[in-house]
Amino acid sequence: MPIRNNIEQDGRERVLDIRGLTVGFERDRQMVPAVRDISLHVDRGSTVVVVGESGSGKSVTSLSIMRLIEYGGGRILGGEMRFRRTGGNVIDLAQASDETMRQVRGAEIGMIFQEPMTSLNPVLTVGEQIVEAILLHQRRSAPEALKEAQATLDRVRIPDAARVMRRYPHELSGGMRQRVMIAIALSCRPQLLIADEPTTALDVTVQAQILHLIRELQREMQMGVLLITHDMGVVAESADRVLVMRRGDLVEENETRALFAAPAHPYTRALMAAVPKLGAMSGTDQPARFELVREQLVEPAGAPVAMPDDALDPSTRSVAPALSDAPAKKPDVVLSVRELVTRFDVRSGFFSRVRRRVHAVERVSFDLYAGETLGLVGESGCGKTTTGRSLLQLVQPDSGSIYFDGVDLARRDRRSSRLLRRNIQLVFQDPFASLNPRMRIGDAIMEPMIVQGIASGRDAQRRAATLLEKVGLDASMARRWPHQLSGGQRQRICIARALSTDPRVLVADESVSALDVSIQAQIVNLLIDLQRDLGIACLFISHDMAVVERISHRVAVMYLGQVVEIGPRRAVFENPQHAYTRKLMAAVPIADPTRRRHAAPPLVELPSPVRDVGDEPVVAPLVEVGPGHFVARHWVGGSY
Amino acid sequence: MRPEDQVLMTSAFFHFLRRYPTVAVGGLLMLLLVLIAIFAPWLGTHDPTQIAPLYRTRSPSAQFWFGTDLLGRDVYSRVLYGTRVSLTVGFSVAVLSTAIGAVIGVIAGFVRWLDVVIMRIMDGFMSMPTILLAIALIALWHESMRTVILAITIVEIPRVVRLVRGVVLSLREQAFVEAAVTAGASPWRIMYRHIFPNTVAALIVQGTYILGVSILAEASLSFIGAGVPPITPSWGNIMAEGRALWQIRPHLIGFPAAFLSVTILSVNMLGDGLRDALDPRMSKED
Amino acid sequence: APAATGKLPVLHYVAEADLAGLDPIWSTAYITQMYAELVYDTLFAYDEHYTVQLQMLSDAKTSADGKTWTLTLRQGLTFHDGQPVRSIDCAASIRRWGSRDTLGQELMKATDDIATPDSQTLVFKLRKPFPLLPSALGKVASSMACIMPERLAKIDSHTQITEAIGSGPYKFAKDKWVSGSTAVFERFDGYQPRPGAGSFATGGKVAQLSQVIWKTIPDAATSTAALQAGEIDGLQTVSSDFLPVLAADPSLQIVKSTVATIPIMRFNALYPPFDNPAIRRAILSVIDQTEFMTALMGTDNKSYWQSGVGVFSPGSPMANDAGLGVMKGASPANIAAAKQMIKDAGYKGEKVVLLDPADYPASHMPAMVAADLLKKLGMNVDVQTMDWGTLMQRRASQNPPASGGWNMHFTTISGMNNFDPAGHLALRANGKQGWFGWPTSEKIETLRQAWFDAPDQATRKKLCVELQMQVWQDVPYIPLGAYYNASAFRRGWTGISTQMPLFYNLRRT
Amino acid sequence: MIAYVLRRIFSAIPVMLFVAFFVFALLSFAPGDPAALLAGENATPDDIARIRANLGLDQPFFTRFFHWIWRVLHGDLGTSLFTGQTVGHMIAQRLAPTFSLMVLTMIVSVVIAIPAGAWAAWWHNRWNDRLVMLWAVLSFSIPSFVVGYILAWIFGLKLRWLPVQGYVQFDQGLWASIQTLILPAFALGAVYVGLITRFTRSTLIETLSQDYVRTARAKGVSNRRILFRHALKNAAVPIVTVVGSGVALLISGTVVTETVFAIPGLGRLTVDAILRRDYPVIQGVILLFSFLYVLVNLAVDLLYTVFDPRIKY
Ligand SMILES: Nc1ncnc2c1ncn2[C@@H]1O[C@H](COP(=O)(O)OP(=O)(O)OP(=O)(O)O)[C@@H](O)[C@H]1O
Ligand SMILES: Nc1ncnc2c1ncn2[C@@H]1O[C@H](COP(=O)(O)OP(=O)(O)OP(=O)(O)O)[C@@H](O)[C@H]1O
Ligand SMILES: [Mg+2]
Ligand SMILES: [Mg+2]
């Protein structure tokens, strides 16, 4: 249905023009809007980025453009979405028939979904999935489509594309899957690409590659890009224009530089303040809290009910000064890891023999001091989580020892396991999964106290309430079920549970990765406060370098199961010695549009930690390059 | 009770009905059947065991609402009393097999070294046809409702065990179980506090399925002469005894079959609905 | 001739039960006897007037003192394996039969030796005259003295013979036998029928069918439907309730058997309360055969059953109505009187274990009626339901009822067994040696022995009246009436025998 | 893979031994005496005792069991007490009817149930869905013998399209043979169809809400292709599991169906053997059933690898 043939402005072709889009979901037989009166437009060759807090309606907006929201139970309640088709005629997507939408989808609008891991069909080969898209929308013979698909895969820089075409999604790494998704979205050369958080789950090196790729393809095909993200570094690097959403409303829209320079809306200001910036800590030795701006928002009438409690978070109330830089007295070693090795068997073949092994952790050694945070960074899959789980004996290490107060925990006897459970706690990588869906929050927090005999009954309830308040939640939350909380709230519940037995060591595994920056900052502050108050030693696992910089006293860098660099945070960040550490630092996007990088990031596929049985990896020895700063020295060309 | 409260309660009730129509309809039918079972002596028009050869195989009439059977017994009264047998068999088998199966399944799923042994034994039981086992058991003790219940239960237990074990195996890998381990919870505590509650939804569905299947199985057993004693009125017995005549005396099969279908229908509706209604995650609508 | 055989029709017939075994001596099951009638032949046989005739024999002579019988075989008789029938085959076969059949045992007791002077001649040397010798050797349908090759006949009578080689008009096609489903009989071209028309089990037994196919259809509804749909030609047993429907179907004909089946109530005379004849008599007094028969057969089919049945099969030569009045029926007054009798007899409320085979209607229905009756009499009834297989074992147990035994069970006696005292097992009163129930009554045994020794039919009839009167005194069992099996055939089949299912002389027109 | 299959088959041996022992024990302690049945109505207790001795039934339990196991290990399943035929022969005669019935039932059921379930899932919560579900629940709430009688009456007696009973072997005409199996297959399949339909529906509803289905929609894939290519293949593993575990249901069901339609199959043989206490036959059939069950489970597990590339052995 052509509306207007010409929606050009500013001399550029406008691909998409949304006016007053309102989308709602049915709740209790009433339509509750999730997105209200949004207007935005995307031009050819330009990138529009949508940022905003979790649950603000970003994904809903993107799904509405594709008219896929109906399959999730939503309904477009009003507004128009003019889209310029390849032929040049303009239609209103909000009114288009199913058949028209089928033609538009894939062919003219490509979409990369928020969760790349689950968005590929697990039982079809990668090739089949790309070819399908091509065959559907282009008049191609099957062999031609196959060639085309392979070319697209090449374009997204997947090595050995011909072979990858025959593989299934589960046989690919996360980064490769992400690129396959992009290949599908791009295979028909769409006018418009919608990318919803395309890099959330990825680490910085892969993220950099993917963003660069999208930019390049965009330039090549002149497509409009609508990018959704919560990473302000990504925004600064890619966006032409930025839109800020909050609770279903568009609260601010501006050119990227202008927005970063002068955020107008209070929420945008709060967001900007919470952005961790790599290098912000240079010149200091001690961790520092984030300085947060207390939002002063007037609630618009009729706002959606899903209102995060974070606005009332006590930890956001004051602007905290950086901790004193005064060097602490030499603390005691609480946990000492020596030569830890953890491997997983991969069985295959006729008799299910162990043919290969995953060398997840290879002879890792480090000490953890009381009151100290050791940051553990490294590429996805390098063995960070496994290290943490080995410490807690959740996986049985193959060899090595873990001393806590001089007791070897790997002995797994009664005494060591009591010591372990009492004193070392873990915050799991996925907070939702680590909460029993049929156990109320309060019971979850009380459980460790009860089973350890620390408290019971009323006493335990009182302690749970205190803990909830300590992590900035209301004590009444104890009555809720896990699914009734937001991601950020669940994250804090897990921290509260981990703290309930007054542990001396806390292992925090990616405790902030899935959160938007404002909540992330609150949690970091909380951990810093707790450490200061209780003297907890913390192993902080993360792939976000900026956050690690903020919170750590010391940092360890892992690569393929080995620690390749470890030392004081300042030394490692300001003077990285290992090549891998430097690469990691270089890949971190900088949340400053004025410092945009244009060079293509180096393309690296992480070598696999899976090796044949008997093929033991060489563990490079660590040498001291500065006070307490060790670096792996590799055997290169006959000498170290 | 104040009238406002009454209004509130009624509206809450209607709200529930609207939200879970299947539970409501299934529940009402089930309630009706339970009431029939309880009040069978008062609802019946004749003594269900009183034989009267002179009145055999009469068609439905004002005197015999559902007609009479081969010994002249009143089918209407027998069908009402049959509700007792069928519901007793159904509920006993469902409760017994889900309870026993859940315990064995949780243990098998959680205690690695027992798993193999338990599952082999379960495979063994599962591979025996129900009917065969029932006949053998009935031959061993004599025909009674207890034997029928036992025979069906034995065959249904492995099904529950498999289901529960499967759920447990996947739950065991879940982070929240590891979280409990980290908290220092004992294996027993983990089993009953963390794993078991998460198998309940699957158990309810399986339990209601078994309830239906066992009522059917009771009828099939009667069909080949291995059910509850023929003196005891049960739907299976009425159908089995009258089946040869079904062409000329369809009431002998029709009435009990109708009751049986309605029962199984209601049980299924109840099960499917309950699963949704009891799951804290499914109540996200409010 | 084979060419002619090809044109002969095939009969698809649903027999009452599955052919379980192939040895008619080893197993006394009725279906095995039906099979034996097809496959085997006997030396003598009954005609339709129930008089004994020569069958395989051309001649039979008895000496003046009655102690020597000389039997001569017909010429040209062959077994299905092509071997001729010789006198030694007959002698071995008779010995094997004689070790199992009751009448055969009587004959063997009287026999000194069976000589075989030549291949066609058989000489019985007896210790005392045995006038019933032809009747015994000519038994039909119940444990008949079938003639088989000597090598098979030498096998112990308690071990099953699994070959089916007889000299009857049909061969058993063992390779086509699917137990539980189909048994196939093929015309035996080498059979030598007697000249003349066929009459019951004797005369010209001419096989007019190329094949007789027995199908086992365990479900009555299905077998009836199969007949209606024309998938089978004959159905041995029609459920009484279907009689009106099938009779109304113009494509079908109903054939009523002339030999009655008698359902009986059997007491265990070893244990209280039924070790006391007075209590048995009390129960006898309230029996109403009509009630039992209606329960079994319905009210609409009066021509297929009868009450007023005594000890011997109605219509048979020995049947009489002596003392039938003892069964007065279950009127309230009679019940009250019987209650008193039971009390006077010293009934102390012992449990009565009543075996109820649920899968066997002919016994299940009477059991239900009887249970009801016993309750009315104030007896403490324990109805134990079981399958027929269990019942067969259970009733053989002489243990006390509380530990695996029983007090009362129901069965049917049928065919020509109960034509006279010879094969009438329920009549026996020889204690623990006897048939299940083990009653003891010297008077009955004496009368029975006298019957064997009686010189003529008139004396026998008189003895049978006495026997019946004695049965009402000692009550070893109670007859509950008699019914006549109805079978159904599609129209066009003629020559259907009414005594029992026989397949020679049966043909399609 | 081959080694996996072999390992699975070998691991079935303890299962089968367990079943054999269990059934043997059950039967040995159960009352009922084949000798009494064999001897017939007119036999005396003495006859029965002698027959029992000849059959070796008077031996102690363990002697008999080990005797039997010993012979089975030598490939001899024994001889029927009644017919004198070898158990192997009797089972062989019965295999074809039961298997063709079961296979036909499975084909018919799957062909009906999966599209029906898919249709219901697609129209989730609409009237089409409700209708299919009502039908599915009804189909497993009516005893199969009732279904059998009704089918036989309509299609056999009234319309005369199909035979009301019996079985024709394949070698006597494939179509004639299938004709005899159609009604039994529908009667036997009623429960099975209901089960699979419901299960297909619920699995598909879940699958259709998965992200990759959304991806397929975003590609512009047609509805039918989404349902049958993207969703169904993903739902296949649980569906195949139910289809497989339903075979146990079919095995039990054959007993009744074969009785109603007078099919000379294993189910009927089992019941007959039990009712007659024909011990060698019972044992043989049970062994066969448990082996069959193991094979079905194995087939199901192997099918998993066909539908789900993530599963490997
Ligand atoms: N299928 C649905 N049914 C009901 N409500 C929904 C549904 N999908 C989204 N919502 C609601 O709509 C609102 C916006 O959700 P949306 O997924 O667009 O958030 P988002 O901005 O993408 O957040 P995130 O950064 O976490 O991805 C939320 O309040 C959410 O609860
Ligand atoms: N249970 C397991 N069985 C087999 N391999 C495993 C198992 N757990 C982890 N691995 C493998 O061990 C390696 C290290 O995994 P780990 O989870 O420790 O990585 P990570 O550094 O935490 O990655 P991420 O940043 O993605 O969380 C990976 O290659 C992973 O595939
Ligand atoms: Mg989103
Ligand atoms: Mg990890």
Side-chain angles (χ1 to χ4, degrees), chain D:
Chain D
M1 186 81 145
I2 296 164
Y4 172 77
V5 171
L6 288 180
R7 197 154 40 93
R8 281 285 296 264
I9 291 179
F10 277 116
S11 75
I13 291 175
V15 175
M16 293 171 62
L17 269 180
F18 168 79
V19 172
F21 183 79
F22 184 80
V23 174
F24 205 100
L26 205 60
L27 292 173
S28 301
F29 297 117
D33 182 1
L37 281 160
L38 284 168
E41 269 293 83
N42 301 332
T44 61
D46 181 49
D47 288 336
I48 294 173
R50 291 184 57 181
I51 289 178
R52 192 181 298 126
N54 276 351
L55 292 172
L57 293 174
D58 51 350
Q59 306 273 312
F61 168 72
F62 280 104
T63 318
R64 269 165 43 214
F65 183 70
F66 287 114
H67 223 80
W68 179 74
I69 282 287
W70 183 250
R71 284 208 319 246
V72 168
L73 291 178
H74 288 77
D76 175 11
L77 288 173
T79 310
S80 161
L81 302 181
F82 280 76
T83 65
Q85 293 170 310
T86 64
V87 174
H89 173 76
M90 290 177 77
I91 288 178
Q93 281 181 327
R94 308 299 193 105
L95 272 178
T98 299
F99 278 166
S100 31
L101 174 61
M102 278 175 50
V103 168
L104 189 70
T105 305
M106 286 178 77
I107 292 173
V108 167
S109 309
V110 166
V111 164
I112 293 176
I114 290 184
W119 200 60
W122 189 263
W123 297 109
H124 182 35
N125 272 343
R126 309 273 190 81
W127 66 266
N128 328 33
D129 176 25
R130 300 250 150 85
L131 209 68
V132 171
M133 279 307 98
L134 185 69
W135 164 75
V137 172
L138 273 183
S139 96
F140 74 74
S141 64
I142 301 178
S144 65
F145 57 91
V146 177
V147 177
Y149 288 145
I150 293 174
L151 289 177
W153 186 70
I154 297 175
F155 296 100
L157 272 183
K158 292 295 143 190
L159 298 174
R160 303 258 164 161
W161 289 351
L162 295 163
V164 297
Q165 54 83 42
Y167 170 74
V168 175
Q169 273 161 8
F170 280 128
D171 48 19
Q172 291 166 9
L174 188 65
W175 174 233
S177 175
I178 290 179
Q179 265 188 330
T180 56
L181 291 177
I182 291 177
L183 294 183
F186 274 90
L188 176 59
V191 174
Y192 201 53
V193 166
L195 191 67
I196 300 175
T197 307
R198 276 167 56 99
F199 202 77
T200 304
R201 170 182 173 271
S202 61
T203 314
L204 268 181
I205 286 174
E206 184 159 347
T207 312
L208 282 173
S209 70
Q210 296 291 313
D211 286 352
Y212 49 78
V213 170
R214 197 175 57 184
T215 308
R217 287 204 172 99
K219 283 196 280 189
V221 176
S222 71
N223 287 350
R224 186 187 319 163
R225 204 175 153 84
I226 285 178
L227 193 56
F228 287 101
R229 187 163 167 79
H230 288 266
L232 203 53
K233 201 174 173 201
N234 271 288
V237 164
I239 293 175
V240 164
T241 312
V242 165
V243 171
S245 68
V247 168
L249 218 63
L250 288 188
I251 291 179
S252 277
T254 51
V255 174
V256 171
T257 312
E258 287 173 3
T259 305
V260 169
F261 289 97
I263 295 171
L266 288 169
R268 194 58 224 172
L269 179 66
T270 316
V271 179
D272 286 346
I274 292 179
L275 291 179
R276 285 177 187 162
R277 311 290 186 269
D278 197 343
Y279 300 134
V281 178
I282 302 175
Q283 297 285 2
V285 173
I286 295 285
L287 272 192
L288 179 81
F289 277 145
S290 51
F291 187 65
L292 174 73
Y293 176 80
V294 168
L295 284 189
V296 166
N297 274 344
L298 178 61
V300 165
D301 285 350
L302 292 181
L303 268 184
Y304 286 172
T305 62
V306 173
F307 290 114
D308 192 338
R310 285 166 295 189
I311 298 173
K312 282 214 175 66
Y313 301 113

Side-chain angles (χ1 to χ4, degrees), chain C residues 18 177 179 222 390 393 411, chain D residues 32 41 93-94 260 276-277:
Chain C
D18 177 40
W177 180 33
S179 131
T222 307
T390 309
Q393 184 207 21
T411 184
Chain D
E41 269 293 83
Q93 281 181 327
R94 308 299 193 105
V260 169
R276 285 177 187 162
R277 311 290 186 269

Side-chain angles (χ1 to χ4, degrees), chain A residues 629-640:
Chain A
H629 186 180
F630 296 84
V631 175
R633 181 161 292 172
H634 295 278
W635 181 259
V636 182
S639 65
Y640 283 109

Side-chain angles (χ1 to χ4, degrees), chain C residues 15 93 183 225 258 267 298 327 366 433 450 466 480-481 490:
Chain C
S93 297
T258 50
F267 303 100
M327 295 182 272
Q433 268 36 264
E466 281 174 47
L480 301 174
R490 299 201 68 75

Side-chain angles (χ1 to χ4, degrees), chain A residues 121-182:
Chain A
N121 194 325
V123 301
L124 300 179
T125 61
V126 166
E128 284 175 302
Q129 299 191 46
I130 306 175
V131 166
E132 180 177 47
I134 297 172
L135 283 177
L136 274 170
H137 299 296
Q138 295 174 28
R139 288 205 182 80
R140 296 287 173 85
S141 67
E144 276 170 0
L146 210 66
K147 216 173 284 164
E148 171 89 17
Q150 199 170 320
T152 320
L153 272 187
D154 278 333
R155 196 133 31 106
V156 297
R157 308 244 159 67
I158 288 196
D160 201 7
R163 188 98 49 84
V164 172
M165 293 269 286
R166 287 197 297 274
R167 294 216 226 152
Y168 289 94
H170 73 276
E171 295 170 323
L172 306 182
S173 77
M176 287 166 90
R177 272 187 252 181
Q178 185 69 66
R179 277 174 277 173
V180 170
M181 266 308 289
I182 297 174

